[in-house]
Amino acid sequence: MPRAALFTITGVAIGVAAGALALATIVNLDVNGAPVSTTTATVIPAPVSQTAGEGAFDLGPASAIVAPSDARSVGEYLASVLRAATGLPLPIEDEGELILAIEPGHPEGGYDLEVTSESVRLAANDAAGLFAGVQTLRQLVPVSASGRSAWAIPATTISDHPRFAYRGAMLDVARHFFGVDDVKRYLDDIALLKLNVLHLHLTDDQGWRLEIDGWPRLTEHGGSTQVGGGGGGFYTQDDYRNIVAYAASRFITIVPEIDLPGHTNAALASYPELTCDGEAPALYEGIEVGFSSLCIDNERTYEFVADVLGQVAALTPGPWIHIGGDEAHSTPEADYLRFIERASGIAAATGKTVIGWHEMGRSDALPAGSVGEYWSFTTPEGDAAELARTFVDGGGRLVLAPADVAYLDMKYDESSPLGLLWAKGPTSVEEAFEWDPAEVVPGVGDARLLGIEAPLWTETIVTMADLESMAFPRIAAIAEIAWSPQPEQGRRDFSEFAPRLAAFGAHLDALGINYFRASGVAWR
Ligand code: NGO
């Protein structure tokens, strides 16, 4: 495993300024002025620059939010999350101490936050930056405790912006289906960490999850199964629009994936005309990969691809469409290359930027600017880094989702009841944290990296509680890598992260998010 060296070097210093405030301890008082709890004011992902001030702002029954019309929706969101956290009324008024502003002069994609004993002022160039700042503010408000009448937000000055534009989570709704409400909940979960992309893996051997006009059996038949039985499910086009709109309200872009030409058993079982022998295979509820393929020399295949990708693109406001391309082990090489050239051309003709798993880098005929998603160090098709570099050579960028550190479906340790082990064995929270994206594909640094993604494949994941316990807290580590600068000297250091993670855990508890209490963290 060529990248194993990444895990053996430990950091000596962290350049992120968060350390200062991470150690600032605030005592909150109850109605009688007695201390009710001790809260460490910390933020994940760590802000670019953060200095502690004197005192604290007391958020209380008289506090009001000021949100001008261009920041109104973010103001309402802030009010709703803080009301839920504190029970305070927090009206939106013309005058108040919690001030939101959209104005030029702030970090791109980020925000400036100034908390003094008098007021809280959050400002950004646009609503997306403001929304990111709101997530910071949420974490600065101490977790509620009964009897509390004021919430002391530590005085601080924060100036913050993301390292990468694409900060993603991926959810596999094909192996096990997750309904609209579950997806919305996950969107809320990941928004807290300033992630701004949710890649939905919508189709696979075990299920087709998006209704396509003119191809009703894809969902009626192909959507009726999932791993291990128990029925499947699918999104109507209205359901999908609903997800997309909800994501947009959290400044999250949906990236739809239709996995082609392998991982297509559910489609082949629904439409035998897509197979080469005209025989529909049985539906599949196992977890093997690499056995299915569309029929490459069949024109009907391309009508199907054009119909599906055309409808998916029309339903998706975001700039990207993902066409898979991974593990097509039963598609002969020459067929694969012919297929990828045509299918990626069809995808690009929708006006979207094409994304493909790194195996698509075998093709030298990808649309210019296609984005490659790196997921593993070696695949039967060759060295992943080399294949990923094809995208960069073609003028595109990479999304990194290295299975050995960023796959949320890997077991935490040997005893984890859920998850898989194939990547390099278990992946601890520490391993998910202590890596540098600029070292994954040698020669490809930040300028050619679009971003980072944490996939959650659901072969072993059935419920929302399972899903959250696999994602959290590792997804917090990945979000920090996607947002916060790499320390200038040395590597990320888990011992610096662990106390912030413990504080973050208290927020997860308050939000009812199920998470794994990993060792090495002093969970409250
Ligand atoms: C691989 C495979 C998926 C599996 C996953 C499980 C990619 C890109 N293709 O990742 O089909 O579900 O591993 O970890």
Side-chain angles (χ1 to χ4, degrees):
M1 250 170 256
R3 297 189 44 252
L6 274 186
F7 311 110
T8 56
I9 309 167
T10 43
V12 285
I14 182 146
V16 180
L21 191 64
L23 302 175
T25 295
I26 310 238
V27 178
N28 291 284
L29 305 180
D30 71 10
V31 273
N32 304 312
V36 288
S37 74
T38 302
T39 304
T40 307
T42 64
V43 181
I44 295 177
V48 172
S49 117
Q50 182 178 14
T51 51
E54 287 288 313
F57 174 80
D58 278 334
L59 187 69
S63 302
I65 295 171
V66 180
S69 55
D70 56 354
R72 182 82 194 184
S73 68
V74 182
E76 278 162 8
Y77 173 88
L78 173 66
S80 74
V81 294
L82 291 188
R83 283 174 197 147
T86 63
L88 293 169
L90 297 170
I92 300 181
E93 291 180 349
D94 292 340
E95 292 189 7
E97 308 77 33
L98 260 77
I99 302 148
L100 303 186
I102 295 182
E103 62 194 19
H106 297 285
E108 199 187 328
Y111 61 92
D112 285 299
L113 174 64
E114 180 87 43
V115 181
T116 67
S117 53
E118 307 292 307
S119 68
V120 174
R121 188 170 197 280
L122 176 60
N125 298 339
D126 55 23
L130 211 53
F131 188 80
V134 162
Q135 305 309 326
T136 296
L137 187 52
R138 285 174 81 180
Q139 292 185 43
L140 294 179
V141 175
V143 170
S144 198
S146 59
R148 178 176 288 170
S149 64
W151 283 257
I153 306 177
T156 186
T157 302
I158 293 177
S159 186
D160 199 12
H161 65 270
R163 176 174 178 183
F164 294 113
Y166 182 118
R167 303 179 301 280
M170 189 217 82
L171 182 60
D172 169 12
V173 294
R175 270 50 177 274
H176 280 102
F177 181 64
F178 289 85
V180 174
D181 288 345
D182 285 342
V183 176
K184 287 183 176 177
R185 182 177 164 109
Y186 200 45
L187 286 163
D188 280 331
D189 290 358
I190 67 172
L192 180 61
L193 289 162
K194 302 185 176 70
L195 297 181
N196 65 352
V197 172
L198 180 65
H199 164 184
L200 285 177
H201 183 77
L202 290 166
T203 65
D204 214 301
D205 292 319
Q206 299 85 346
W208 184 284
R209 306 301 179 205
L210 179 63
E211 176 185 49
I212 300 294
D213 291 342
W215 299 82
R217 276 181 61 78
L218 287 173
T219 41
E220 282 167 15
H221 186 63
S224 67
T225 44
Q226 59 183 0
V227 168
F234 66 91
Y235 308 123
T236 64
Q237 295 203 354
D238 274 346
D239 288 340
Y240 182 79
R241 286 190 194 95
N242 188 348
I243 290 170
V244 164
Y246 194 83
S249 75
R250 269 72 181 144
F251 297 86
I252 294 173
T253 300
I254 296 292
V255 173
E257 180 188 351
I258 303 296
D259 202 348
L260 305 168
H263 290 276
T264 44
N265 190 76
L268 301 172
S270 307
Y271 286 96
E273 64 208 83
L274 299 175
T275 65
C276 285
D277 61 7
E279 303 238 339
L283 290 168
Y284 181 68
E285 297 181 333
I287 63 167
E288 293 305 313
V289 295
F291 61 88
S292 57
S293 178
L294 291 173
C295 186
I296 305 304
D297 285 326
N298 179 354
E299 278 310 301
R300 189 74 179 134
T301 293
Y302 300 94
E303 291 167 19
F304 168 75
V305 169
D307 251 3
V308 171
L309 297 184
Q311 290 183 41
V312 170
L315 286 166
T316 304
W320 298 292
I321 191 163
H322 200 309
I323 61 168
D326 60 320
E327 298 177 318
H329 304 321
S330 64
T331 316
E333 183 70 4
D335 285 2
Y336 180 85
L337 295 176
R338 264 201 324 285
F339 176 83
I340 291 299
E341 178 169 0
R342 277 187 80 175
S344 62
I346 292 168
T350 68
K352 304 290 183 193
T353 297
V354 177
I355 306 185
W357 297 107
H358 67 246
E359 289 101 315
M360 271 175 45
R362 282 135 76 196
S363 169
D364 59 8
L366 296 174
S370 295
V371 171
E373 182 159 8
Y374 172 101
W375 63 275
S376 188
F377 26 89
T378 53
T379 40
E381 289 75 21
D383 178 65
E386 217 168 281
L387 294 172
R389 229 177 265 114
T390 312
F391 291 87
V392 175
D393 295 344
R397 291 198 283 169
L398 298 182
V399 171
L400 300 179
D404 51 350
V405 287
Y407 267 32
L408 302 174
D409 57 310
M410 291 300 136
K411 288 179 182 289
Y412 285 95
D413 56 44
E414 299 285 348
S415 69
S416 298
L418 304 172
L420 306 176
L421 278 174
W422 69 263
K424 65 150 192 48
T427 301
S428 67
V429 187
E430 185 168 353
E431 286 166 333
F433 182 70
E434 290 187 344
W435 60 285
D436 179 2
E439 293 180 3
V440 173
V441 178
V444 179
D446 284 27
R448 306 315 302 274
L449 295 177
L450 181 59
I452 309 297
E453 185 172 290
L456 184 40
W457 302 95
T458 57
E459 285 94 336
T460 67
I461 315 297
V462 183
T463 66
M464 198 60 204
D466 291 353
L467 192 162
E468 287 183 341
S469 75
M470 293 303 279
F472 289 88
R474 283 183 295 202
I475 196 167
I478 304 298
E480 176 138 326
I481 288 169
W483 178 282
S484 311
Q486 190 70 20
E488 275 166 29
Q489 305 199 338
R491 307 178 64 81
R492 289 183 200 278
D493 177 1
F494 189 68
S495 66
E496 182 278 328
F497 185 60
R500 287 188 289 124
L501 202 48
F504 186 69
H507 288 280
L508 296 179
D509 285 331
L511 289 165
I513 296 174
N514 193 29
Y515 63 99
F516 174 66
R517 283 170 169 70
S519 61
V521 179
W523 301 106
R524 310 227 160 119

